[in-house]
Amino acid sequence: MNITKEQIDDLNAVVKVAITKEDYQDKVEGILKDYRKSANIPGFRKGHVPMGLIKKQYGKAVLVDEVNKLLQDNLNKYLTEEKLDVLGNPLPKQQDNFDWDKDELNFEFELGLAPDFEVPLKTKKPITQYKIVADKKMIDEQVERIQKQYGKLVSKEEVGEGYEVTGTFRNEDEGIDNKTTLELDKLKGKKALNALKGKKVGDSVSLKTKGLLKEDYLLSSILGISQEKATDLDIEVSFTIEEINERELAALDQELFDKLFGKDEVKSEKELRERIKNDSEKQFEQQSDQKLLNDVTEYFIENTKFDLPTGFLTKWIQMTGEEPLSEEQANEEYEKSEKGLRYQLIEGKIIKENDLTIQFDELKEFAKGFIKSQMAQFGQLNPQEEELDNIAARVLGNQDEVKRLSEQLMSQKLLDLYKEKVNLKTKEITYEEFVKEVYG
C-alpha cells in the first residue's frame, strides 16, 4: 500500500491511496474459505461448495468490504502520523466506472486543513468585567421578603393596602374560573387598588386585565390560563372576595436567624444583612462570570482573522448529513455553523497553547462540588465525604455526564485564564443596573 499527499493550497489537500492485491488477498481468501465451510447452497453438501462458486457469489462483496476497512484504518493512521490537522472527515473523490478487478486500486480523498493563526490573549481593547454588588435597596427587599415568608396571616374585616386577598376570578366568555390569592402590592394601577379597598368577604369587583399587575408574566397564574393566552389579554374579569388577610412580618430575632441559617450562625440583624449581601454577591458572580466568558468569546471570534476551506466544508456538510442536501441548503447550513466552528478552532488553540488539561481527580472534585451545591438547595448543608464520593462515582459512570462536567470544568479553566491574561476593566454595578445594561 502506498499513501501520498498532494498539497492544493494552505487549506486543501488530496491524499492518494494505492492498494495492491497483496494488501488484501490473504484476508479475502480466508473469509471466503470460512464462507465455504458454512455455505448452504442447493445441490451441494455443506462444506463442499466449489470455491469458484463461492467467489462468484460472495467475492466482490468481501473484496469491497475488506478494501474499505483497509482504507479507513490506514488513512486514519496516516493522518495521525503526519500530524495533519483536518476539519471534518476526508471526502472520497467520485470515480466513475471504478474497476474492482484491477491489480492496483487507486483512491483519492479530499482534505480540508485547519488554518494557522495566532490568538494573543492580551486584548488590545479592554473587556468589561462586571462586579455586581447588592445595594441597600436589594438587601431591604430581601429582609422584607424573609419577614413576609416567615410571618403570620391575620384575618381582616375589609381590604386594606398591602393585604392579601383570596378570591375567584371569573369571565364566562373566556372560560376563566380560578381561585387564587392576590397580593395587593403586586397591583400596578391605583384604579384596581381603589376598587378593592374597603371591600369585604362576599363582595365582587370588576377589574381590567391589561396593566393589572406590575409583572405581566404573573397574569397567567392568577387567572389560571396559559402564558400565550395571557399575553396582551385585554378583558374585564370579576373578582369575588372569599378571604382577607394582612401578613404580619416576622420579628428579626434569634429564633428566625436559627431557622434560616442554623443555631447561632447569625446573631443580629446586621449579621443577617451581611449574610444576605455576601450570599447574593456570590450568586451574582456566576452571572458576571458567564457574561465575561461570553464577551471574551465574542471578542476572539470578531478579532481573530483566518480563512477556512469553505468549499470543502460546504461539500462535507452536503454529503455527510443524515439526508443529502442541495448545494443551496449546504451553503445555508455552513453559514449557520461557521461562527461556532471558528470558536472551536480558537478555543482549541488556546487550550493547547496554555496546556489546559483535565485530570480525573480534579473532575471528580468538580463533580463533588456540583453535587454539594445541589444538595444544599434541598437543605443538606453538610453531607458526608463518603456520600459525596459514592454519588460522584455514579455520576462519572455516565459518559454523557462526564462530557457535560468536563465541558463545564474546561470553561472554568478558560475563565480563570482570561481573568489572568486578558486586558480587563472592572465595573462595579448593582444587579438592577446590570440587568438594564446587559439585557436592555
Side-chain angles (χ1 to χ4, degrees):
M1 180 181 297
N2 185 38
I3 303 179
T4 57
K5 177 170 71 75
E6 178 186 340
Q7 194 75 27
I8 306 301
D9 55 38
D10 289 343
L11 299 173
N12 294 276
V14 172
V15 168
K16 299 179 179 182
V17 184
I19 296 179
T20 63
K21 280 188 177 181
E22 288 76 15
D23 296 318
Y24 60 80
Q25 195 164 25
D26 288 347
K27 186 76 173 173
V28 169
E29 290 289 343
I31 293 171
L32 290 175
K33 284 178 183 177
D34 289 339
Y35 274 25
R36 187 187 182 206
K37 291 175 186 176
S38 58
N40 201 351
I41 296 177
F44 297 96
R45 283 186 299 150
K46 191 174 181 179
H48 290 76
V49 179
M51 182 56 90
L53 187 58
I54 293 292
K55 285 183 178 180
K56 185 177 180 181
Q57 191 158 347
Y58 301 108
K60 183 63 66 66
V62 172
L63 168 65
V64 171
D65 189 46
E66 287 307 308
V67 168
N68 280 328
K69 286 179 185 176
L70 271 174
L71 279 172
Q72 185 174 334
D73 292 345
N74 287 278
L75 186 57
N76 288 337
K77 184 180 176 183
Y78 175 80
L79 296 177
T80 302
E81 289 176 349
E82 294 295 315
K83 297 179 181 178
L84 293 176
D85 193 0
V86 299
L87 302 179
N89 295 311
L91 288 179
K93 292 185 77 170
Q94 188 67 35
Q95 298 183 62
D96 296 328
N97 303 316
F98 188 82
D99 186 358
W100 287 93
D101 295 323
K102 281 188 175 182
D103 289 341
E104 182 174 285
L105 304 175
N106 291 287
F107 303 89
E108 294 186 1
F109 295 87
E110 296 179 63
L111 301 183
L113 305 177
D116 187 28
F117 58 93
E118 298 297 323
V119 189
L121 290 180
K122 196 69 176 177
T123 55
K124 293 178 181 178
K125 177 185 174 185
I127 297 172
T128 301
Q129 180 181 15
Y130 291 97
K131 178 177 172 54
I132 308 172
V133 296
D135 59 353
K136 183 177 181 302
K137 179 187 174 189
M138 171 174 278
I139 296 169
D140 287 345
E141 288 173 351
Q142 286 272 48
V143 170
E144 186 177 354
R145 193 174 295 119
I146 290 169
Q147 287 183 282
K148 280 185 176 181
Q149 183 181 347
Y150 289 90
K152 62 180 181 180
L153 292 175
V154 180
S155 181
K156 295 292 180 179
E157 289 290 325
E158 59 181 48
V159 179
E161 197 164 335
Y163 287 8
E164 296 179 11
V165 184
T166 299
T168 301
F169 282 101
R170 290 189 177 90
N171 180 295
E172 191 174 339
D173 293 340
E174 296 293 333
I176 295 171
D177 189 341
N178 190 58
K179 183 174 179 176
T180 189
T181 296
L182 184 63
E183 295 178 43
L184 299 195
D185 287 346
K186 294 191 178 343
L187 292 175
K188 186 174 183 180
K190 287 186 178 179
K191 191 172 181 181
L193 183 61
N194 291 335
L196 285 162
K197 271 186 181 178
K199 295 295 187 291
K200 298 181 179 181
V201 171
D203 290 344
S204 290
V205 296
S206 181
L207 301 171
K208 287 188 71 67
T209 57
K210 190 171 180 64
L212 179 63
L213 302 170
K214 292 175 183 175
E215 304 289 349
D216 290 336
Y217 73 89
L218 294 173
L219 187 64
S220 65
S221 62
I222 69 165
L223 296 183
I225 58 177
S226 68
Q227 192 68 52
E228 184 181 7
K229 186 174 180 179
T231 303
D232 299 324
L233 185 66
D234 187 7
I235 61 172
E236 285 200 0
V237 289
S238 67
F239 182 67
T240 303
I241 299 169
E242 299 169 28
E243 193 178 326
I244 304 167
N245 294 297
E246 180 182 18
R247 188 171 287 276
E248 193 175 275
L249 298 182
L252 296 173
D253 56 19
Q254 195 61 47
E255 183 182 353
L256 178 62
F257 303 151
D258 289 349
K259 193 179 291 184
L260 289 169
F261 304 107
K263 187 167 176 58
D264 294 334
E265 287 292 319
V266 171
K267 297 181 179 178
S268 66
E269 183 180 344
K270 182 182 178 183
E271 288 185 16
L272 170 67
R273 289 176 172 274
E274 287 174 356
R275 180 69 175 258
I276 290 171
K277 179 177 174 64
N278 291 336
D279 288 351
S280 297
E281 290 180 354
K282 194 172 182 180
Q283 290 181 348
F284 297 154
E285 192 176 336
Q286 295 176 359
Q287 293 187 54
S288 62
D289 279 351
Q290 188 59 55
K291 171 64 176 166
L292 177 61
L293 192 60
N294 292 344
D295 288 348
V296 174
T297 297
E298 286 297 323
Y299 178 91
F300 285 144
I301 291 172
E302 293 298 321
N303 292 276
T304 307
K305 304 300 182 185
F306 54 82
D307 292 326
L308 289 169
T310 303
F312 170 84
L313 290 170
T314 304
K315 187 188 292 187
W316 180 70
I317 290 170
Q318 185 177 7
M319 294 177 65
T320 59
E322 290 183 8
E323 295 181 4
L325 300 178
S326 68
E327 189 174 339
E328 185 180 354
Q329 288 173 322
N331 282 325
E332 288 176 3
E333 286 299 314
Y334 175 74
E335 286 176 13
K336 288 178 190 174
S337 60
E338 183 186 1
K339 188 174 181 180
L341 174 58
R342 285 183 176 278
Y343 186 66
Q344 281 180 24
L345 292 170
I346 293 167
E347 183 182 72
K349 193 169 187 70
I350 292 171
I351 289 170
K352 184 178 179 180
E353 290 186 347
N354 292 277
D355 197 26
L356 299 182
T357 58
I358 294 176
Q359 304 300 325
F360 180 78
D361 286 346
E362 61 181 341
L363 182 62
K364 182 181 176 183
E365 288 306 309
F366 183 76
K368 284 163 66 175
F370 180 77
I371 294 162
K372 197 172 180 179
S373 67
Q374 291 289 99
M375 294 174 76
Q377 293 180 21
F378 296 95
Q380 294 176 265
L381 301 176
N382 294 299
Q384 295 295 313
E385 194 68 19
E386 185 180 354
E387 184 181 11
L388 288 173
D389 282 334
N390 290 336
I391 297 173
R394 289 200 299 274
V395 170
L396 296 176
N398 183 319
Q399 288 305 306
D400 289 337
E401 285 297 307
V402 169
K403 182 174 182 292
R404 183 177 66 84
L405 288 168
S406 296
E407 288 171 353
Q408 289 181 2
L409 179 54
M410 184 53 73
S411 289
Q412 185 60 54
K413 285 175 174 274
L414 285 166
L415 182 65
D416 293 341
L417 178 70
Y418 297 157
K419 285 181 177 180
E420 179 187 349
K421 302 285 188 181
V422 171
N423 183 13
L424 302 177
K425 60 176 181 181
T426 302
K427 183 173 184 178
E428 196 168 288
I429 193 170
T430 68
Y431 184 70
E432 192 175 333
E433 291 167 339
F434 175 77
V435 171
K436 285 180 181 177
E437 184 165 324
V438 173
Y439 303 109

